[in-house]
Amino acid sequence: MKTFLDRLGKEWLFCDGATGTMLQAMGLASGELPEIWNLTHPDEVQSYMEAYLKAGSTIINTNTFGLNRIKFGKDTQRIAKKAVEIAKAARDAINPDAFVALDIGPTGKLLAPMGDLAFEEAVSIFGEVIQAGAQAGADLVLIETMNDSYESKAAVLAAKENCDLPVCITNTYDESGTLMTGATVESMVAMLEGLGVDALGVNCGVGPIQMKGVIQRLIDASSLPIIVNPNAGLPSQIHGRTVYDLKAEMFASTMAEIADMGVQVMGGCCGTTPEYIERMIHMVKQKPFQTNTKKNRSVISSGSQVVEIGPKPVIIGERINPTGKKRFKQALRDHDINYILGVGLKQEEDGAMVLDVNVGLPDIDEPSMMCEVMTNLQSITSLPLQIDTSDPIALEKALRLYNGKPMINSVNGKQENMDVIFPLVKKYGGVIVGLCLDEQGIPETAQDRYEVAQKIVNTAATYGIEKKDIVLDALAMTISSNTASAKITLDTIRMITEQLHCHSILGVSNISFGLPHREIINSHFLTMAINNGLSCAIINPGNESMMRAYRASCALLNMDPQCMDYISTYADVPDEKIETIHSAKKTKQNVEETLSSAVQHGLVEQAKILCEKEIQTKNGLDIIDQELIPALDIVGQGFEKKTIFLPQLLMSADAAKAAFEVIKQSMADTPQKIKGRIILATVKGDIHDIGKNIVKVMLENYGYQVIDLGKDVDPEVIVDTAIKENISLVGLSALMTTTVVSMEQTIQLLHEKKPDTKVMVGGAVMTQEYADAIGADYYGKDAMESVRYANSLFG
C-alpha cells in the first residue's frame, strides 16, 4: 500500500468537507463542543466520515479541530485517541486506501507579544494533541484555518517535534491574500517551506470563487503541493440555519476551474456536504493532473513581508551592532531597548530592506538579549531580520522564536562549524550566510575562497539545504593593509555568481578600515561589487554616499525599471542639497522625539517617558486630544488600508495605553471622562477571543469603558448585564459557524428584553449579509470599524 507521501503531489487527492455542518444536521446543539461527540456520539461521527469516503474523499479529518487542553483539560489526549480510532474505523469500512488526517485548528488565543499565550506554551498545547493522535495511528497532520503566521509556526514545530508524520497546513486568507495578523501568501510560503511542511494551501474564510487570486499566488510562490478547501460560498442565516450561496453544482464547476490552475489536493470546508465533495470529485477527476513546478527563488520573510534576493541588491542595515559603536554598547549594558528599536526604525526610514541584529558583548546574556531585541523589533517593523551571532545557543533560541524566515549570519567552511549550524538551518528554515574561510583561515586568493564556497554549498546539500538558501560572503578585507584585497573580493563575487550560480553578500565598509574619508572608498567599492554581481550589501542606509552609489548602480545596471527609484528619490532635491539629502528630505522627527511618533511606532516605554515629560507642562486632556487620538487615528487608517498590520496596531495601542496611564495618574483627583460603556463577549460555545480582545484594546484607547464578559458566554448573562448596567452597545464575536446560532439567540433576547441596546457583531465567519440576517445592528470587519461605530453612537 502506498503511503501518503508516495501519492502526494503525484495524483489527485481529495479531502472531506464540513464537520460542523454535518454534526449540526445530526443534532449538535448550539454552543455544544463538536469534539465531545467523539465520546458521546461515536456512531454519528463515524457515519458522516463514511459519507465523505463514499463520496470519494481520500483524506478524512478527525473530529479534533478545536481540541486542546484550554477547552478540554485532562480529557484532551483521550478525546484525540478516540477521534483517530473513529476515523480509522470509517476508513477501514469504506476505503482502506484512504488516509486519516489529524485535524489541528487554532487555539483561539493570540500569541505573545500581541496576546497572552506564550509561543512555547502554544507549541506544548498543539504537541499534546499531535502526540496522542500520532500514537493512535493517524496518517498525517493537517493544520488548518490558521489566521496567524506565528501560531502556524508553533503548530508546525509541534508536529515536527512530536511525531514523524507528514505535515500539511492550510491558512485562512482574506481576498487580498493576507492573514488576520498581516502575513501575505508569499511570506507564509517562505516560512512554511523553510520549516519543511509537505504541502500547504488555503481553507475557509470564503468560497472558491473568491479564493482564485490567493490560489494563483500560492501556485506562483510555492514548490510544494497546493491544498484548496473553500467554503460553499459566502454564509447567510435563514430560519435559524447557516446556509451558503453556492449550490453543489456551482461549487464543483468552480473547483474544476481551480483544478486547471494546477493544484494537487482539493476538498471543502464550511457548508460542503458529501454531495458537494462527490460532485467536485466527479468533475475534477476528468482533468489531467498537474504537478507543482519547482521555484528557485531565494526569499526571506518577516511575519508580513517578503524580500527576494536576486532581482536587485538587497540593502541590509548594519547599525544594530555594537562593533565600533560606544553608544550602542552602552544601550546593551543598560538594557535600553528603546534606543535599539529607534536605531532599527531609523534604518527602515533610510531605506534598509533587512535589519542585521547583532547584540554580542562579552558581559551580557546574548541568547536572552538576542531574543528580546528580535521580538521587540518584529513588533514594530515589518522588515525581515538577519540574525547575526556566533553563539549557537543564541542562534537556536532566536530561530525558534523568529516569526518568518530569517537571514542567518553565519556559517563558515570549518567542518565543525557546519555540523553545528546546518541542522539548525534545516529545522527552522532561513537563508544562511556562508563565510569563505575554513580551518586554514581566510584564503589569500579568489580561487581558494571560491573553493571554500563550493565546500559550504556541497556540505549544505548533504543536510538538505538548497543552494537558493545560501548567500556567500567573499569577505571584504581592508585595502589599507593589502591593496589587492578589493580585487580579490570582487573576483570572488564574480566567480560565485557566474560559476557557482549562488548569491553573495558583503559587509561593504570593512574594505576601508584605517583610511581617511572612508565613505569615498566604500561607495565606489559598493558600485564595483554590484557590477560584479553582489546580491546583498550590509551598509549604513543613513549614509547618503552609500545610498547614492546603490541607487545609481541599480539604475545603470537595469535593476531599477524606468529609473523610478532614482527619480522618486532625487527628482525634487535641489543641487545644493544633494550632499545632505537625508536631512533635507526628512520631514518626520526622530521616533524618539515626539509622543505621537512613539505611539505610531509602538514604542511603549518611550511613549511613557515622553508623556511623563509632557504632563509637566501640558493638560492631560490636551495631550489625549492633540497627540494620542490623532496618532491612533493614523495607525487605524493604515490598518484599514493594509499598510499597517495587526502586530503594529496592537503595539501602537499598547504605547497609547502606557501614555494614558500616565495621564490618568496625573488626573487622579479629576473626574475621568468616559465616552461610553460597552459590553464585549464571545458567544456561547466559542472560546476564541482573539477578535474580541483586539476590539477591547482599541475601544479602551479611544476612551470607552469596556465590560468584558469573556468567552463562551450564555445569552442570558449578556442580556442581564446589559439591563443591570444600562448598556446601550453590545459587541458579540464568533469564530465558528456552529456558534452563530448562539449569537442570533443573544441578539433576539436583547431585542426582546432591552430593545434600546444596539448590537455590533464580528468574527471570521461573519459577513454583512450574515449580520443582517441574524438581526445585528452593525457588522464590523475589523477593530477600527468597531471604534468608528461606537463613535457614531456616542458622539
Side-chain angles (χ1 to χ4, degrees):
M1 177 179 170
K2 289 184 178 180
T3 67
F4 177 73
L5 291 182
D6 290 335
R7 297 171 63 182
L8 178 66
K10 304 174 185 68
E11 61 178 88
W12 290 116
L13 292 176
F14 298 104
C15 295
D16 58 13
T19 295
T21 299
M22 297 297 286
L23 291 179
Q24 283 179 316
M26 292 177 172
L28 180 73
S30 171
E32 188 177 7
L33 299 176
E35 296 78 17
I36 205 70
W37 273 42
N38 292 304
L39 302 181
T40 60
H41 298 74
D43 293 341
E44 286 87 343
V45 174
Q46 183 172 332
S47 70
Y48 84 72
M49 291 181 176
E50 289 181 358
Y52 281 118
L53 288 163
K54 289 174 182 176
S57 295
T58 46
I59 301 169
I60 52 169
N61 287 352
T62 56
N63 179 25
T64 53
F65 173 79
L67 181 62
N68 58 60
R69 63 174 177 248
I70 299 173
K71 290 187 196 176
F72 294 95
K74 294 180 179 179
D75 290 329
T76 300
Q77 292 184 319
R78 180 166 68 100
I79 296 172
K81 291 176 180 177
K82 183 63 176 177
V84 174
E85 177 187 311
I86 294 169
K88 287 170 66 180
R91 184 265 313 273
D92 294 344
I94 306 300
N95 179 9
D97 290 333
F99 301 104
V100 172
L102 181 66
D103 190 10
I104 302 294
T107 62
K109 294 278 192 178
L110 199 59
L111 270 64
M114 290 186 292
D116 58 3
L117 181 62
F119 181 81
E120 292 298 348
E121 178 67 9
V123 174
S124 174
I125 288 170
F126 290 125
E128 184 177 13
V129 179
I130 290 166
Q131 188 177 70
Q135 290 173 352
D139 299 305
L140 67 141
V141 176
L142 177 58
I143 302 161
E144 64 162 328
T145 323
M146 286 289 173
N147 216 334
D148 176 1
S149 60
Y150 208 29
E151 189 173 27
S152 297
K153 178 172 182 174
V156 171
L157 282 180
K160 293 284 186 178
E161 293 174 350
N162 286 278
C163 72
D164 57 2
L165 300 178
V167 179
C168 304
I169 181 168
T170 54
N171 293 94
T172 300
Y173 299 94
D174 63 22
E175 291 183 52
S176 70
T178 58
L179 303 187
M180 176 186 69
T181 52
T184 64
V185 168
E186 294 75 17
S187 66
M188 287 305 299
V189 168
M191 182 185 77
L192 294 171
E193 288 192 347
L195 289 170
V197 302
D198 296 290
L200 54 81
V202 57
N203 82 292
C204 204
V206 293
I209 297 170
Q210 295 82 8
M211 271 188 187
K212 283 185 175 181
V214 168
I215 293 166
Q216 188 60 59
R217 288 169 63 179
L218 283 166
I219 293 167
D220 292 343
S222 180
S223 302
L224 297 176
I226 305 297
I227 306 169
V228 176
N229 291 331
N231 293 344
L234 300 175
S236 61
Q237 194 83 352
I238 299 178
H239 304 305
R241 291 177 56 248
T242 300
V243 298
Y244 292 82
D245 65 357
L246 282 188
K247 300 300 183 184
E249 193 65 31
M250 179 60 72
F251 178 87
S253 63
T254 307
M255 291 298 279
E257 295 171 5
I258 290 171
D260 288 333
M261 296 170 69
V263 303
Q264 291 73 41
V265 185
M266 308 183 79
C269 200
C270 301
T272 55
T273 63
E275 180 189 3
Y276 282 75
I277 301 302
E278 183 174 19
R279 293 198 180 198
M280 176 195 73
I281 292 172
H282 175 73
M283 296 189 72
V284 170
K285 269 193 168 180
Q286 303 174 37
K287 302 283 185 178
F289 180 79
Q290 303 176 52
T291 58
N292 203 1
T293 57
K294 184 77 173 174
K295 314 299 188 304
N296 194 34
R297 298 169 65 242
S298 298
V299 293
I300 56 176
S301 68
S302 64
S304 61
Q305 186 171 318
V306 163
V307 170
E308 182 174 1
I309 301 167
K312 64 186 295 187
V314 173
I315 298 297
I316 302 174
E318 67 179 3
R319 305 300 292 173
I320 303 177
N321 189 316
T323 304
K325 302 179 186 71
K326 184 177 179 180
R327 176 67 182 89
F328 194 92
K329 289 179 181 179
Q330 194 60 46
L332 289 174
R333 294 190 181 102
D334 294 343
H335 199 255
D336 187 354
I337 302 298
N338 260 338
Y339 175 80
I340 299 171
L341 298 182
V343 171
L345 288 171
K346 178 66 164 57
Q347 290 182 103
E348 180 177 15
E349 289 182 352
D350 288 338
M353 305 165 190
V354 179
L355 298 178
D356 182 79
V357 181
N358 185 316
V359 295
L361 277 181
D363 50 349
I364 68 166
D365 179 353
E366 185 177 353
S368 176
M369 180 62 79
M370 173 62 81
C371 291
E372 184 174 3
V373 169
M374 182 193 74
T375 302
N376 276 279
L377 278 169
Q378 287 212 290
S379 298
I380 64 167
T381 176
S382 61
L383 295 186
L385 305 181
Q386 175 172 265
I387 300 170
D388 186 355
T389 178
S390 59
D391 182 342
I393 296 174
L395 178 59
E396 178 161 21
K397 286 182 179 293
L399 288 176
R400 189 170 181 85
L401 293 178
Y402 184 81
N403 187 5
K405 180 184 179 185
M407 186 172 278
I408 303 165
N409 192 3
S410 59
V411 72
N412 59 53
K414 297 176 183 178
Q415 191 62 49
E416 180 182 15
N417 184 253
M418 291 189 287
D419 290 340
V420 170
I421 302 302
F422 282 147
L424 299 179
V425 179
K426 179 61 178 175
K427 178 176 181 178
Y428 296 106
V431 171
I432 181 70
V433 174
L435 308 180
C436 294
L437 61 88
D438 59 12
E439 289 84 355
Q440 280 69 53
I442 299 175
E444 295 184 359
T445 68
Q447 179 61 38
D448 289 341
R449 292 186 193 183
Y450 175 77
E451 289 175 4
V452 174
Q454 281 184 308
K455 180 169 65 171
I456 290 172
V457 170
N458 292 338
T459 305
T462 67
Y463 284 91
I465 299 168
E466 299 181 61
K467 189 184 293 187
K468 69 182 179 67
D469 286 328
I470 303 170
V471 293
L472 294 160
D473 191 336
L475 303 176
M477 310 300 293
T478 180
I479 57 172
S480 64
S481 59
N482 179 1
T483 53
S485 291
K487 186 175 186 309
I488 293 169
T489 300
L490 295 172
D491 288 345
T492 306
I493 291 172
R494 188 168 57 253
M495 294 170 72
I496 287 169
T497 304
E498 296 176 356
Q499 298 178 38
L500 197 53
H501 306 294
C502 259
H503 295 301
S504 57
I505 187 170
L506 276 182
V508 176
S509 61
N510 294 341
I511 204 71
S512 63
F513 279 136
L515 294 173
H517 300 294
R518 292 178 59 193
E519 65 183 30
I520 299 174
I521 296 291
N522 294 343
S523 60
H524 285 78
F525 180 59
L526 175 61
T527 300
M528 297 170 75
I530 291 174
N531 190 43
N532 278 273
L534 182 67
S535 310
C536 304
I538 305 175
I539 66 171
N540 175 10
N543 184 299
E544 177 53 29
S545 294
M546 297 299 286
M547 295 304 291
R548 196 158 55 227
Y550 168 77
R551 294 188 181 100
S553 296
C554 290
L556 291 165
L557 294 172
N558 195 28
M559 292 184 286
D560 181 8
Q562 286 78 52
C563 302
M564 291 308 297
D565 181 46
Y566 183 88
I567 292 170
S568 65
T569 304
Y570 298 113
D572 298 325
V573 181
D575 291 345
E576 65 272 15
K577 295 287 187 180
I578 196 67
E579 294 298 329
T580 56
I581 180 177
H582 272 78
S583 58
K585 285 181 72 71
K586 290 295 177 187
T587 57
K588 289 194 250 180
Q589 288 181 274
N590 188 289
V591 294
E592 295 188 45
E593 292 180 1
T594 70
L595 177 57
S596 175
S597 185
V599 170
Q600 290 177 52
H601 287 93
L603 298 174
V604 178
E605 285 300 316
Q606 193 66 20
K608 178 182 177 183
I609 292 169
L610 289 170
C611 193
E612 287 173 343
K613 290 181 180 178
E614 289 201 15
I615 203 68
Q616 304 300 319
T617 57
K618 292 183 180 180
N619 178 274
L621 294 178
D622 289 341
I623 295 174
I624 292 172
D625 292 338
Q626 296 171 15
E627 295 196 63
L628 298 185
I629 296 302
L632 286 171
D633 284 341
I634 291 170
V635 174
Q637 291 162 13
F639 180 70
E640 291 175 325
K641 294 175 182 176
K642 294 189 180 296
T643 58
I644 288 173
F645 299 102
L646 187 60
Q648 290 77 37
L649 177 74
L650 291 180
M651 289 304 296
S652 293
D654 283 346
K657 186 176 181 180
F660 277 123
E661 286 300 318
V662 172
I663 295 170
K664 188 184 297 185
Q665 290 173 14
S666 74
M667 301 172 63
D669 297 328
T670 304
Q672 299 297 301
K673 179 182 177 182
I674 296 174
K675 284 187 178 180
R677 300 166 73 236
I678 301 170
I679 286 175
L680 293 182
T682 302
V683 299
K684 184 174 176 56
D686 203 322
I687 60 95
H688 301 87
D689 59 359
I690 292 175
K692 172 184 68 64
N693 290 343
I694 294 167
V695 171
K696 177 183 176 181
V697 169
M698 297 309 297
L699 285 171
E700 287 180 336
N701 273 341
Y702 275 84
Y704 294 99
Q705 180 183 351
V706 174
I707 301 174
D708 184 357
L709 297 181
K711 58 198 176 187
D712 189 18
V713 186
D714 285 321
E716 291 80 6
V717 172
I718 297 171
V719 174
D720 290 347
T721 306
I723 294 171
K724 179 182 177 182
E725 301 292 337
N726 193 25
I727 300 298
S728 55
L729 177 60
V730 171
L732 301 177
S733 173
L735 177 74
M736 303 182 296
T737 55
T738 54
T739 60
V740 174
V741 176
S742 295
M743 182 179 280
E744 184 177 22
Q745 291 173 350
T746 304
I747 294 171
Q748 290 174 349
L749 201 58
L750 276 167
H751 286 172
E752 176 187 336
K753 294 191 174 183
K754 199 172 188 303
D756 61 328
T757 295
K758 300 292 185 181
V759 183
M760 61 180 179
V761 298
V765 297
M766 298 304 299
T767 63
Q768 183 65 60
E769 293 74 18
Y770 214 163
D772 292 341
I774 63 176
D777 297 291
Y778 184 76
Y779 162 63
K781 67 181 177 64
D782 58 44
M784 287 308 302
E785 286 203 353
S786 300
V787 171
R788 307 248 187 276
Y789 182 62
N791 286 343
S792 71
L793 286 182
F794 293 98

